[in-house]
């Protein structure tokens, strides 16, 4: 399964969603990496995983749903915390093994209540915490 | 292995790089997902994988080096195409299973010669190619 046959298509080409979904390159658990980017500020908020059902649910409901690998269950972002991610748009990459979600994140995306998850910054041979937890 | 014990540290905390590296949550092949974001425009360019050696090489040389899962070898981005990625900064996420690279991408990041890899855009129940290959 591959998106290779479609990759040289020109701008404006319209493809069937089911066809593309059937050609995604998921891992052995049926998962694909998904990046969440705040649609207006362009901050990268987090990386998590989706399966086919969570992709379809996110498209249908407009709220992002992941698959939690640690809890082995669907993870409707913000369901318990209230920190929901509204889905603005979704795109697959050239080889069909990654998703870029443009989202509107309510409140913090990170479970530490930081805005984003990437707070271990490497600088000058050390790792620096670049924001406060809440 | 986990970064859990460090996640509630306040802003400004300095940690040892080797300690953090030893606690990254790699997959069974020793790999971790890495997002490349253009540092100034904030476009998400691509997602690829790194291992410990490619992380260290990228930090040392200032040029991004991935591990190619398809070719099973180190992939010094741009080595053959000239489309290099200069490393601007690197950060690990809260649970140590993803990396965010701020890069300066020379030319296109995608092997189709598009600027970024996320050109299969889902819209209105279809997938639309949103840029031309070159």
């Amino acid at each position: 399964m591959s998106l290779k046959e479609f990759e040289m298509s020109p701008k404006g080409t319209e493809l069937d969603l089911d066809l593309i979904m059937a050609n995604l390159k998921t891992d052995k658990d049926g998962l694909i990496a998904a990046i969440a980017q705040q649609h207006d500020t362009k901050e990268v908020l987090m990386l998590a995983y989706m399966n086919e059902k969570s992709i379809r649910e996110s498209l249908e409901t407009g709220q992002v749903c992941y698959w939690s690998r640690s809890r082995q269950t669907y993870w409707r972002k913000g369901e318990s915390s209230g920190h929901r991610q509204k889905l603005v748009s979704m795109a697959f990459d050239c080889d069909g093994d990654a998703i870029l979600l443009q989202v509107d994140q309510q409140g913090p995306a990170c479970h530490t209540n930081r805005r984003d998850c990437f707070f271990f910054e490497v600088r000058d041979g050390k790792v620096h915490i670049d924001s406060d937890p809440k």
Side-chain angles (χ1 to χ4, degrees), chain A:
Chain A
M1 295 192 294
S2 153
L3 295 182
K4 198 142 199 73
E5 65 177 298
F6 310 113
E7 71 180 25
M8 297 312 282
S9 305
K11 181 175 173 174
T13 302
E14 194 178 282
L15 300 159
D16 187 67
L17 178 60
D18 289 340
L19 176 68
I20 297 298
M21 293 280 282
N23 282 280
L24 294 180
K25 215 157 69 188
T26 57
D27 71 9
K28 63 175 177 45
D29 300 314
L31 300 178
I32 182 168
I35 304 159
Q37 182 174 35
Q38 174 65 27
H39 73 107
D40 45 8
T41 63
K42 301 299 177 192
E43 305 159 86
V44 173
L45 300 170
M46 55 181 282
L47 182 136
Y49 290 83
M50 301 180 100
N51 61 16
E52 180 172 339
K53 191 162 167 243
S54 73
I55 293 170
R56 290 189 187 275
E57 176 178 317
S58 301
L59 289 169
E60 279 157 25
T61 65
Q63 295 288 335
V64 179
C65 175
Y66 298 103
W67 175 261
S68 168
R69 298 185 304 171
S70 55
R71 291 184 287 115
Q72 289 287 302
T73 186
Y74 291 97
W75 170 26
R76 293 174 181 89
K77 179 76 183 156
E79 198 172 38
S80 56
S81 66
H83 302 148
R84 287 175 180 272
Q85 278 183 354
K86 187 179 161 192
L87 181 67
V88 175
S89 65
M90 179 187 288
F92 304 114
D93 77 341
C94 52
D95 51 4
D97 68 354
I99 303 176
L100 179 59
L101 306 171
Q102 299 290 342
V103 304
D104 192 11
Q105 171 69 47
Q106 294 178 24
C110 184
H111 75 285
T112 64
N113 280 334
R114 290 173 173 98
R115 176 68 177 168
D116 70 81
C117 296
F118 295 93
F119 55 83
F120 288 106
E121 196 189 339
V122 186
R123 205 167 63 240
D124 304 325
K126 293 277 181 184
V127 176
H128 302 258
I129 305 273
D130 77 355
S131 62
D132 280 317
K134 301 258 165 57

